[in-house]
């Protein structure tokens, strides 16, 4: 959406703030021995405690086999995105866990993700994966302003991925949002400067680099939601929602 009214902007800011808080609380609850279903309960409770509504729960995009059954998308190790919380899945030290959460507040949406390591200790490849994916988000945000092209964002992400030798999952990327969780345009995590649609002030975007430590080829699991890397290499995902302005952007979900 293009936010024009003061009231929409106010609600977008609140949606972003509450989402960042709920996501941080969920991240704090990540530890060995916790199930992914328990983390979903934390996420949903934290969203509702702030007057928000979980945006992913019961969300059924066009083409989906069935509606998403949880508040939280939780994707562990070779799971890339849209992992479904489960009572059977217990986290272990060293797991790479992407937490992706969406919230609506007074009908305005926010979408954000972070990747954390269970117990905080990990190998160098995992450190490189997380640092590269986070840095790609930072660099993408730097090029966003009214008049910049969608391709400028993709080019910024791609450059960082190359530097860190990470795979970019081509079929996944960012999007506009606002009155719904997914709106056009799609924002690829690769591209060429000057290509694609021009951004305008007031446009609300979710920017989300999604990277792998190995091949970027992915498939969808039997649950019809979870994306997995085909080579079982691990993946990371960082995402923020932001508002495009004349000379830059305003981050709506501050967590970095
Ligand atoms: N942040 C996720 C994305 O942009 C939102 C997934 S919603 C779900 O793809 F319901 F599909 F999980
Ligand atoms: Co998103």
């Amino acid at each position: 959406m293009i936010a024009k009214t003061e009231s929409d902007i106010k609600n977008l800011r609140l949606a972003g703030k509450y989402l960042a808080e709920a996501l941080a609380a969920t991240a704090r609850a990540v530890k060995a021995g916790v199930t992914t279903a328990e983390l979903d309960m934390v996420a949903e409770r934290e969203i509702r405690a702030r007057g928000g509504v979980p945006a992913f729960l019961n969300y059924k995009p066009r083409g989906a086999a069935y509606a998403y059954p949880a508040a939280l998308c939780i994707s562990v190790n070779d799971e890339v995105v849209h992992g479904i919380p489960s009572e059977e899945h217990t986290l272990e030290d060293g797991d790479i866990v992407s937490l992706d959460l969406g919230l609506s507040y007074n009908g305005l949406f926010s979408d954000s993700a972070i990747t954390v390591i269970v117990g905080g200790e990990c190998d160098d490849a995992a450190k490189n994966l997380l640092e590269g994916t986070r840095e790609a988000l930072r660099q993408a945000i730097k090029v966003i302003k009214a008049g910049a092209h969608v391709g400028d964002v993709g080019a910024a992400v791609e450059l960082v991925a190359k530097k860190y030798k990470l795979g970019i999952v081509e079929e996944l990327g960012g999007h506009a949002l606002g009155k719904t969780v997914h709106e056009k345009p799609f924002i690829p995590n690769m591209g060429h400067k000057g290509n694609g649609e021009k951004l305008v002030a007031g446009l609300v975007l979710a920017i989300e680099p999604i990277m792998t430590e190995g091949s970027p080829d992915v498939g969808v699991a039997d649950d019809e939601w979870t994306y997995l890397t085909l080579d079982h290499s691990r993946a990371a995902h960082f995402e923020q929602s932001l508002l495009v302005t004349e000379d830059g952007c305003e981050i709506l979900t501050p967590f970095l």
Side-chain angles (χ1 to χ4, degrees):
M1 70 174 275
I2 315 282
K4 289 198 180 102
T5 69
E6 272 310 309
S7 141
D8 280 351
I9 292 172
K10 195 181 120 214
N11 284 320
L12 283 166
R13 284 186 180 134
L14 287 172
K17 176 178 185 283
Y18 296 152
L19 178 60
E21 290 171 2
L23 190 56
T26 309
R28 280 196 297 275
V30 169
K31 53 176 183 283
V34 166
T35 68
T36 57
E38 285 169 320
L39 293 169
D40 179 55
M41 277 160 50
V42 172
E44 180 164 358
R45 189 181 68 222
E46 295 288 336
I47 287 173
R48 295 203 193 273
R50 290 167 174 81
V53 177
F56 302 166
L57 183 62
N58 297 323
Y59 176 62
K60 189 172 185 293
R62 189 189 294 265
Y66 59 97
Y68 192 73
L72 179 69
C73 293
I74 181 161
S75 309
V76 182
N77 296 331
D78 64 341
E79 297 171 352
V80 181
V81 291
H82 301 173
I84 299 175
S86 161
E87 282 167 16
E88 256 91 82
H89 192 157
T90 303
L91 296 179
E92 292 173 20
D93 278 325
D95 281 345
I96 297 182
V97 181
S98 296
L99 304 166
D100 186 356
L101 205 54
L103 171 158
S104 71
Y105 185 77
N106 287 337
L108 278 296
F109 285 76
S110 208
D111 184 6
S112 187
I114 51 176
T115 302
V116 298
I117 309 283
V118 181
E121 302 273 332
C122 63
D123 53 275
D124 288 347
K127 272 186 204 143
N128 181 68
L129 172 66
L130 265 64
E131 189 44 43
T133 311
R134 192 188 274 259
E135 180 63 15
L137 176 56
R138 280 197 204 103
Q139 295 304 323
I141 286 170
K142 273 195 197 167
V143 306
I144 292 175
K145 62 174 180 192
H149 292 260
V150 167
D152 301 356
V153 181
V157 171
E158 195 175 341
L159 193 66
V160 177
K162 285 211 173 104
K163 192 171 141 201
Y164 284 80
K165 300 191 165 52
L166 298 174
I168 301 174
V169 181
E170 196 170 349
E171 43 275 84
L172 301 168
H175 49 95
L177 72 166
K179 299 260 164 125
T180 64
V181 66
H182 286 131
E183 298 175 8
K184 280 184 186 158
F186 177 69
I187 316 282
N189 285 318
M190 49 182 64
H192 296 281
K193 274 188 199 163
N195 279 8
E197 220 171 286
K198 258 193 194 172
L199 306 180
V200 295
L203 184 63
V204 186
L205 293 177
I207 302 298
E208 47 184 319
I210 295 152
M211 294 186 186
T212 65
E213 58 181 343
S215 157
D217 296 336
V218 294
V220 178
D222 290 341
D223 66 16
E224 310 233 34
W225 271 105
T226 312
Y227 280 82
L228 294 157
T229 57
L230 296 184
D231 66 356
H232 297 297
S233 71
R234 297 168 296 182
H237 178 201
F238 286 88
E239 173 176 23
Q240 286 194 321
S241 296
L242 52 87
L243 180 65
V244 179
T245 61
E246 288 301 340
D247 51 7
C249 65
E250 177 184 331
I251 294 173
L252 297 167
T253 49
F255 64 74
L256 291 178

